[in-house]
Amino acid sequence: MNDFALWPVLAGTAAFFIVGALWYGVIFAKPWQRAAGLTNRQLQAGNMGLIFGLAFLFEMLIAMVLWHLLARTDPKPFVVMMMAMGFALGVMIPAIGVNYLFLRKPLALFLIDAGHFLVGMAAMGGVFVWFRS
């Protein structure tokens, strides 16, 4: 397995991105908007191409790091999932938790965003397991 492989990284990124689209666009759209304190006007005022493009690039960076770790350790499939979920539970979620505490963000926003990271990383891990089999 190469340290960097374009197709698995793109597929893992796409899986995470699709989870985000469903999470924030269908499942938790209104609760997230309320918890974030954003009006419809504020949401429409953003440069959506730039926002989605940068979100995809950030998620791709996450996929590249996870794929690199998998390439270096060559773990069994269940360990791939443990690494993906562990990355969310041990790094990503605590990081946003620290930021949200100091920003005085509501618990509801934290739970919605934390859930997105957890499910997104599980999807990415599942894609990586599939590519490695």
Side-chain angles (χ1 to χ4, degrees):
M1 183 165 86
N2 294 327
D3 277 8
F4 179 79
L6 181 62
W7 295 117
V9 167
L10 284 176
T13 303
F16 198 123
F17 196 80
I18 290 166
V19 166
L22 294 171
W23 201 261
Y24 294 109
V26 178
I27 302 169
F28 291 108
K30 290 299 179 187
W32 175 83
Q33 184 179 354
R34 275 192 306 277
L38 295 169
T39 65
N40 287 335
R41 177 174 282 178
Q42 287 172 309
L43 288 176
Q44 293 167 355
N47 181 338
M48 297 314 290
L50 180 64
I51 291 168
F52 284 122
L54 288 174
F56 190 86
L57 289 176
F58 286 141
E59 291 170 356
M60 188 171 187
L61 180 59
I62 294 165
M64 290 167 56
V65 169
L66 182 57
W67 186 263
H68 174 77
L69 291 172
L70 299 177
R72 291 291 177 188
T73 59
D74 194 28
K76 295 183 184 319
F78 79 93
V79 177
V80 171
M81 292 306 296
M82 288 174 59
M83 289 171 75
M85 302 291 285
F87 203 76
L89 289 168
V91 178
M92 299 165 80
I93 292 171
I96 63 166
V98 169
N99 284 344
Y100 285 13
L101 286 171
F102 285 98
L103 291 170
R104 276 74 169 174
K105 295 294 182 184
L107 178 62
L109 183 63
F110 171 75
L111 293 174
I112 292 167
D113 290 344
H116 165 244
F117 284 140
L118 190 60
V119 175
M121 288 304 292
M124 184 182 290
V127 167
F128 286 173
V129 166
W130 182 75
F131 266 94
R132 295 180 77 240
S133 59

